[in-house]
Amino acid sequence: MSNVGQTLSAPRKTASFALFRDELHYRYLGDWIDRDGNSNIEEDILSAYLTASGYTSAQISAALYKLRTEADNHSRSLYGNNQAVYNLLRYGRCR
């Protein structure tokens, strides 16, 4: 029997959360699967982070526009969209 698509057991899930929180310093925001306005780009959180990092509102708006455009491109597959977003994050442009 395949385990694909099955959820993690409670101890494994707790260990995973601890790794991301304690070792990688990620902030757990909860399970947002049913949240209104759920998005793969959390613009409010990203904007706050970029503002605190010293970017101007014009730079932030341009970055959000590029991310949204690449993430929501319906002429490509999900894989293609993920590649484009990765390239933006990694290289600052689509390759």
Side-chain angles (χ1 to χ4, degrees):
M1 183 159 108
S2 173
N3 292 334
V4 174
Q6 295 188 10
T7 60
L8 292 174
S9 66
R12 286 181 61 205
K13 188 181 284 189
T14 302
S16 297
F17 289 153
L19 169 70
F20 279 92
R21 184 189 61 235
D22 301 337
E23 302 281 330
L24 301 174
H25 307 291
Y26 280 39
R27 188 172 39 142
Y28 179 64
L29 301 174
D31 185 357
W32 287 4
I33 195 165
D34 294 324
R35 185 182 69 123
D36 287 337
N38 194 13
S39 173
N40 56 347
I41 301 170
E42 294 298 332
E43 293 185 23
D44 293 339
I45 296 170
L46 181 56
S47 294
Y49 174 79
L50 293 174
T51 299
S53 297
Y55 291 94
T56 66
S57 60
Q59 290 171 315
I60 294 169
S61 294
L64 289 173
Y65 175 77
K66 286 181 182 179
L67 278 172
R68 272 193 311 269
T69 301
E70 296 303 333
D72 296 333
N73 186 333
H74 298 289
S75 67
R76 283 192 304 241
S77 66
L78 176 60
Y79 179 78
N81 287 351
N82 286 341
Q83 278 186 310
V85 168
Y86 172 81
N87 285 325
L88 276 176
L89 296 175
R90 172 99 166 124
Y91 305 109
R93 58 181 161 66
C94 290
R95 295 170 62 111

